[in-house]
Amino acid sequence: MRRVEKRVSSVVLAAVALFAWCAVGASVAEAAGDGVRVLYMGETNAAHEVAKAIGERTGRRVDLRVRALEDFERGYRSWNAGKELADLVAFRPDYLVVATGGNVPNLEKGVDIRSFREAFSRLLGCFLSGGDMPRTVVRGLFSDSGIRDEQMHRAAQLLGVPFVRADSV
């Protein structure tokens, strides 16, 4: 029961972070009255709840895409973000939620830590370069996540993306 409460609270925190970012201004698609494109990547249990909340908040129809990132998590060193995410970049999301890292092996050596942070930066960077950048939030892990959360937070911070710690609920 406690784990379910944490997941729901995390969904609320991620949604709140996105809604706060909404105040920055409407995207071209929203200004034109089109639907809202939402991309949820990583641990996908909360994807539909977050999309529903975004739809309610914006008053727009939601076009949701969901992608699990186990391949990234297990093979981040050689994972080609540009190739693997090309279809989702072409989707041009208005909102991007990244909730990943649970399947990343323990990061014990400096080279592992740096490699993961750089790979995570490349993953985010696929969506944050170019003209139409989505409102983005990275959600941390529920498990003992110390180093992984820290590296995702650092990568997100360098790119100007809010990071929500799951263990803060």
Side-chain angles (χ1 to χ4, degrees):
M1 181 66 170
R2 185 78 175 140
R3 187 160 173 90
V4 171
E5 290 173 9
K6 281 188 169 184
R7 287 185 190 277
V8 171
S9 296
S10 174
V11 169
V12 171
L13 279 175
V16 166
L18 281 172
F19 300 151
W21 204 316
C22 285
V24 172
S27 71
V28 175
E30 290 171 304
D34 295 336
V36 177
R37 295 177 303 272
V38 177
L39 173 57
Y40 197 105
M41 297 193 310
E43 183 184 297
T44 60
N45 295 344
H48 293 283
E49 294 172 54
V50 170
K52 179 181 176 189
I54 291 171
E56 289 172 356
R57 175 77 168 139
T58 62
R60 307 264 189 217
R61 169 188 53 78
V62 174
D63 183 0
L64 173 64
R65 304 287 163 90
V66 178
R67 174 79 48 92
L69 293 173
E70 287 96 354
D71 290 343
F72 165 75
E73 293 172 325
R74 292 185 178 113
Y76 62 87
R77 286 179 191 90
S78 61
W79 199 73
N80 184 332
K83 177 182 172 191
E84 299 295 333
L85 299 173
D87 62 317
L88 298 176
V89 171
F91 173 59
R92 295 180 49 217
D94 297 302
Y95 296 89
L96 171 62
V97 179
V98 182
T100 194
N103 294 309
V104 173
N106 287 336
L107 302 172
E108 297 175 5
K109 296 182 279 184
V111 68
D112 292 339
I113 294 168
R114 186 178 63 251
S115 293
F116 176 67
R117 183 179 61 247
E118 290 170 354
F120 191 72
S121 292
R122 285 190 302 275
L123 183 149
L124 289 176
C126 287
F127 298 95
L128 301 176
S129 59
D132 294 332
M133 291 188 285
R135 285 174 212 99
T136 304
V137 66
V138 174
R139 194 221 59 210
L141 299 167
F142 290 108
S143 62
D144 181 19
S145 56
I147 293 173
R148 291 173 285 173
D149 260 7
E150 180 183 318
Q151 297 312 308
M152 291 188 298
H153 185 193
R154 285 182 64 193
Q157 189 175 35
L158 288 171
L159 295 167
V161 172
F163 179 86
V164 178
R165 293 195 180 279
D167 63 3
S168 66
V169 292

